[in-house]
Amino acid sequence: MRVVVALGGNALLRRGECPDAAVQHANVRAAVAALAPLARKHELVITHGNGPQVGLLALQSAADRSLTSPYPFDVLGAETQGMIGYWLLQSLQNALPGRQVCALLNQTLVSAADPAFAAPTKFVGPVYEREEAERLAAERNWTVRADGPHWRRVVPSPDPQRVVETRLIRLLLSSGAVAVCAGGGGVPVIRDDQGQLTGVEAVVDKDLTASLLAEALDADALLLLTDVPRVVRGYGTPDAEPIGRTTPARLRAEQFPAGSMGPKVEAVCRFVELTGGFAAIGALADAPAMLDGTAGTLVTPSGRYPEDGSDDAGDRS
């Protein structure tokens, strides 16, 4: 099987952890231990988040007095791809001796006309009190919004249209290599009036990029790995219920937070609707079991897994 896996930010930096390199490197090694069994049996593409890392680099850049202006988000995204890609590359090589592994710097094409550029919604970086957030917004030309009781910077999050290096990733897979790519959703770029690629100040949702890439690579399965074992209907309420096997239509009928589970649900629904394939959302440690259909929230056109089986479980838990 050809499998695309999207690692959530928790795979690199868990809530409350110090963002030291050693801490993140240790977390990457643990993540690779869960993914290595998949790589031994299947063609594997690994994508990853970069939210905490790009936020940290943005703060460092803004505080650097030697710069006339902070580095833009496309450049910061490229920096995090190199850093996290290196950790994953090395850990995979150690876990899979003799297997070729490539960590690839990727660009993700977005539309210059995407309405997201006029309405930034993606929270990045730390939280502030309102007065400080408004001061920073005026000084640095930021857009800020309330995030619960605090305020944070928001940047545009345009819809991914294509991973520019898709053909190269396909070539790597055909050679038997494990490909690490599209980190942080990919470096966001547009084509200018001369058809040239140029970076833009934005971030792309990593799960939507993973779904797009999985479809373009003719993948058999898409796994979104996070810090919960299943998608939960009515999360945080007395009626909360984990969702087992389901369909895109049933998932779309539910309500999920736009800043957390919502993009993951949209990503798996898009992939299954476009390809008729299999997608799942679940915990990192359950990755092999998710591919076997025995863990996570499993999404197929009919709600069965395997799709030709007779066990139509609906939304069973």
Side-chain angles (χ1 to χ4, degrees):
M1 294 177 67
R2 178 169 290 179
V3 183
V4 173
V5 170
L7 288 175
N10 62 290
L12 304 171
L13 193 64
R14 300 181 180 93
R15 292 179 179 89
E17 283 188 326
C18 174
D20 285 350
V23 172
Q24 297 186 65
H25 197 181
N27 289 339
V28 167
R29 288 194 292 269
V32 166
L35 296 178
L38 298 185
R40 294 187 184 103
K41 295 181 180 179
H42 307 286
E43 293 182 339
L44 188 63
V45 177
I46 301 173
T47 72
H48 60 81
N50 70 343
Q53 295 79 17
V54 78
L56 180 63
L57 290 180
L59 284 175
Q60 292 174 346
S61 178
D64 191 336
R65 295 183 179 180
S66 69
L67 298 174
T68 58
S69 61
Y71 287 168
F73 264 84
D74 59 320
V75 174
L76 297 176
E79 289 185 21
T80 62
Q81 280 192 359
M83 176 177 68
I84 299 168
Y86 158 64
W87 289 331
L88 284 166
L89 171 72
Q90 186 180 82
S91 297
L92 285 162
Q93 288 172 330
N94 289 336
L96 302 166
R99 186 77 175 273
Q100 293 299 308
V101 183
C102 179
L104 191 64
L105 191 68
N106 278 132
Q107 304 166 94
T108 296
L109 190 66
V110 301
S111 171
D114 194 301
F117 287 108
T121 58
K122 183 73 170 178
F123 289 111
V124 296
V127 298
Y128 303 97
E129 296 301 322
R130 179 171 183 169
E131 183 178 350
E132 184 180 9
E134 291 177 343
R135 176 182 62 80
L136 290 170
E139 290 177 357
R140 300 174 181 177
N141 197 29
W142 287 1
T143 301
V144 296
R145 289 188 179 179
D147 184 13
H150 299 98
W151 286 67
R152 294 178 71 190
R153 182 183 182 185
V154 289
V155 297
S157 185
D159 218 31
Q161 302 296 313
R162 177 176 174 81
V163 174
V164 175
E165 294 79 13
T166 296
R167 284 179 288 183
L168 181 56
I169 298 167
R170 187 185 291 275
L171 183 62
L172 289 169
L173 290 175
S174 66
S175 73
V178 176
V180 178
C181 58
V187 177
V189 297
I190 60 171
R191 289 200 183 275
D192 63 20
D193 293 341
Q194 285 73 48
Q196 300 296 300
L197 294 172
T198 184
V200 290
E201 187 79 348
V203 294
V204 184
D205 184 87
K206 68 172 176 57
D207 295 314
L208 295 181
T209 298
S211 177
L212 180 80
L213 183 61
E215 188 272 330
L217 292 173
D218 299 313
D220 300 291
L222 170 66
L223 305 183
L224 305 187
L225 305 180
T226 182
D227 56 356
V228 295
R230 285 179 175 173
V231 178
V232 176
R233 178 189 294 113
Y235 180 78
T237 71
D239 299 323
E241 178 186 8
I243 299 174
R245 300 177 188 177
T246 189
T247 68
R250 292 180 187 134
L251 269 186
R252 289 190 184 280
E254 304 288 343
Q255 298 294 321
F256 299 102
S260 55
M261 192 56 71
K264 291 178 172 55
V265 167
E266 177 64 23
V268 295
C269 288
R270 287 187 189 184
F271 176 73
V272 174
E273 289 165 345
L274 285 172
T275 68
F278 161 70
I281 302 172
L284 171 62
D286 292 337
M290 289 165 64
L291 201 56
D292 292 337
T294 57
T297 294
L298 313 177
V299 188
T300 62
S302 70
R304 293 190 298 264
Y305 187 76
E307 187 64 10
D308 59 356
S310 60
D311 183 15
D312 188 350
D315 283 335
R316 82 176 189 180
S317 59

